Amino acid sequence: MGGFRLEIDGAEVAPGAKPTRALDILRIICLSRDQVCSVETLQDWLWPDLDGDQAKAALEQALHRLRKLLGQGELVTLREGRLRLAADKVWIDLQDWEDRLKRVLSGQRDSAMEEQEMLLEGFVGPLFSNGPMPAWSNAAADRVRDGFVELAVRIAKHWQSQGDADRARQACRRALDFYPESAKLHGTLIQESLSRNDHAGAIEDYRRYERALASTGDDEPSPLLRSLVRPFL
């Protein structure tokens, strides 16, 4: 999350210039459910232009480089056509964050609020935010975005119900730092302003949403959000 980083026994590993595909194998497995990915999926994603035998050879070569880079062959195992990470030897920030998110979202809002806010503040950023995002990471990136936005909205609605507008809006703004075009976050801010009959504030919230869309090249605002403020425009 944030940016890819590899550590072994607390020391950061410099991958060097060659093992790009080797690291892609590692990244894909880390993003896969239960850290298991089929050989066929890896071949289709990383070597789509090669035929079966060529893709297989390329995968074997990249896997050899990955194991050499890690220095511990047992960290990545191949069994029954599937590559997997040794769960008892590997820690992945994404898996840890999603496990914590699932736990706090499944609990009672009030009792878990402190942990929810810690999770919100501890978010280091979307996947691959320090470089281009490969197509094979889109599903995982969307999952992280949706979970983080849901967390922020839940916190905002809690504080709104407690009459604390500042903390409610702070939660949404924290999430907007990472996902500025999120209609759900902007909609939560607009609804919060409207709940206090702050029509001017709601309009400003909507204008901020429009500016965010324009900055990302998307100039089609949500009809639902526009309908919220249409009577006051």
Side-chain angles (χ1 to χ4, degrees):
M1 299 175 69
F4 182 75
R5 178 184 174 99
L6 175 63
E7 293 184 1
I8 298 178
D9 296 330
E12 186 171 0
V13 176
K18 282 269 186 175
T20 303
R21 282 291 181 248
L23 288 182
D24 282 342
I25 291 175
L26 182 61
R27 294 181 181 112
I28 290 174
I29 299 174
C30 287
L31 297 183
S32 300
R33 184 180 298 276
D34 299 323
Q35 288 69 61
V36 178
C37 187
S38 71
V39 167
E40 290 81 3
T41 297
L42 286 166
Q43 291 174 353
D44 290 343
W45 281 348
L46 299 181
W47 297 279
D49 298 328
L50 300 182
D51 62 30
D53 290 340
Q54 290 176 321
K56 180 180 179 181
L59 174 61
E60 289 175 349
Q61 184 179 37
L63 183 57
H64 173 74
R65 288 177 177 168
L66 175 59
R67 285 171 168 158
K68 185 177 180 180
L69 176 67
L70 298 178
Q72 302 177 50
E74 71 276 9
L75 294 181
V76 183
T77 60
L78 175 59
R79 184 181 305 164
E80 298 178 350
R82 294 174 176 271
L83 281 171
R84 67 187 69 229
L85 294 179
D88 60 330
K89 298 181 177 67
V90 176
W91 180 85
I92 303 166
D93 64 343
L94 172 62
Q95 180 186 12
D96 179 72
W97 191 83
E98 289 191 314
D99 287 345
R100 293 167 59 201
L101 178 68
K102 182 179 180 179
R103 184 172 64 252
V104 300
L105 292 184
S106 63
Q108 295 296 321
R109 292 187 183 184
D110 294 346
S111 61
M113 185 50 54
E114 182 178 354
E115 188 174 1
Q116 288 183 41
E117 291 188 309
M118 289 176 60
L119 200 56
L120 183 76
E121 291 301 319
F123 187 75
V124 296
L127 301 184
F128 301 107
S129 57
N130 63 343
M133 182 178 297
W136 44 257
S137 69
N138 287 341
D142 289 347
R143 188 176 71 239
V144 170
R145 178 201 61 211
D146 293 346
F148 184 61
V149 168
E150 175 62 27
L151 175 67
V153 169
R154 175 175 288 209
I155 293 172
K157 289 184 176 179
H158 165 81
W159 289 118
Q160 181 181 343
S161 70
Q162 300 297 310
D164 194 332
D166 288 341
R167 294 186 74 170
R169 299 179 71 82
Q170 181 180 354
C172 285
R173 287 169 179 160
R174 167 66 177 167
L176 284 170
D177 287 342
F178 298 104
Y179 300 104
E181 75 286 356
S182 171
K184 191 168 186 176
L185 292 170
H186 287 284
T188 301
L189 287 174
I190 292 171
Q191 290 173 327
E192 192 284 321
S193 292
L194 292 177
S195 72
R196 294 182 285 105
N197 293 318
D198 183 2
H199 301 157
I203 293 173
E204 177 54 33
D205 291 333
Y206 181 75
R207 295 305 185 200
R208 190 181 300 110
Y209 168 57
E210 287 185 317
R211 292 193 295 270
L213 290 182
S215 68
T216 59
D218 186 354
D219 57 358
E220 291 295 330
S222 163
L224 176 61
L225 296 198
R226 185 167 180 82
S227 69
L228 293 175
V229 298
R230 184 180 292 116
F232 315 111
L233 292 176

